[in-house]
Amino acid sequence: MDSTQAIRRPTTLLLLLPLAWGALVAVVLGVYGGMHQPTGYAVSIAGFSGPLPMKAWLTTGAFVLAAVQLFSALVMWGRIRLNLPWIAGVHRWSGRLAFLLTLPVAFHCLYALGAQYDTPRVMIHSIAGCFFYGIFTTKMLALPRRGIPSWTFPVAGGLAFTALVALWLTSSLWFFTTIGVKF
Ligand code: HEM
């Protein structure tokens, strides 16, 4: 049995652990969000008139960076034929910045508001929020693992992008169309 066969057999096993950790992150956020007594405690960043517009714009920033991620991934995978040697760096940094922008928002959501399931919009939003961090964890833990099936990254990346689109539609778009486009 040559070494490539040895690597091939553990491939599925290698994927299972990142998936298990991702599922654990999503479930823990959901349970915390469901059991935690919402505090209503809110922080805001200078330049915004309050936590809601702050969250709506930070989420919009993460959404735009996620679109850069999608475009750069399509170039990296040769679906968009452009010769951009620096595109992998753009993909990595737009992903890191998008993730960082979500953190103060999700902190406010979970700590001040908790997970809520009373309306379809907020239910989809709460579930998409937990799922986003779960699939992001799975992708980041799978990245350094050799022998992982090659479809893992477009699938995990696609799911993370879809979750962020769902988060933006169920929060920022709702905010901009209900309360208004304001800072
Ligand atoms: C981690 C799990 C998350 C839970 C449980 C959660 C839950 C919530 C809830 C209950 C609200 C109030 C909805 C309302 O009454 O209008 C809310 C608002 C909001 N959330 Fe989240 N969220 C989560 C993650 C996220 C993430 C990751 C983002 C952005 C990337 C985000 C962006 C927003 C924004 C912009 C609002 C304010 C607009 C609104 O009220 O809908 N949330 N969230």
Side-chain angles (χ1 to χ4, degrees), residues 52 55 59 102 105 109 113-116 121-122 125 129 133 171 174:
L52 264 186
K55 290 170 67 174
T59 303
T102 69
V105 180
C109 291
L113 304 166
Q116 298 172 14
R121 175 181 70 86
V122 182
H125 177 84
Y133 290 106
S171 63
W174 169 83

Side-chain angles (χ1 to χ4, degrees), residues 2 11 24 72 86 102 123 133 146 154:
D2 64 38
T11 303
L24 186 67
S72 54
W86 36 263
T102 69
M123 180 173 71
Y133 290 106
R146 295 163 57 85

Side-chain angles (χ1 to χ4, degrees), residues 35-183:
M35 297 179 64
H36 162 72
Q37 191 55 44
T39 63
Y41 169 80
V43 288
S44 184
I45 298 174
F48 294 102
S49 57
L52 264 186
M54 173 198 81
K55 290 170 67 174
W57 284 106
L58 289 183
T59 303
T60 302
F63 177 66
V64 171
L65 286 165
V68 173
Q69 277 246 299
L70 182 67
F71 171 77
S72 54
L74 291 171
V75 175
M76 286 158 64
W77 286 81
R79 294 285 187 275
I80 297 177
R81 296 187 179 289
L82 287 172
N83 181 17
L84 306 173
W86 36 263
I87 200 70
V90 169
H91 185 78
R92 266 196 307 279
W93 280 102
S94 57
R96 287 171 186 153
L97 286 175
F99 180 75
L100 284 178
L101 283 182
T102 69
L103 294 180
V105 180
F107 168 76
H108 181 271
C109 291
L110 285 164
Y111 189 66
L113 304 166
Q116 298 172 14
Y117 305 104
D118 41 7
T119 67
R121 175 181 70 86
V122 182
M123 180 173 71
I124 294 168
H125 177 84
S126 299
I127 295 168
C130 300
F131 178 77
F132 171 72
Y133 290 106
I135 196 69
F136 187 86
T137 303
T138 296
K139 187 182 177 203
M140 291 303 118
L141 290 178
L143 266 174
R145 291 183 162 238
R146 295 163 57 85
I148 282 265
S150 59
W151 51 260
T152 305
F153 305 111
V155 170
L159 288 171
F161 179 75
T162 308
L164 205 50
V165 170
L167 280 162
W168 186 80
L169 292 173
T170 54
S171 63
S172 302
L173 184 64
W174 169 83
F175 176 83
F176 294 140
T177 53
T178 311
I179 297 168
V181 179
K182 60 174 199 173
F183 286 86

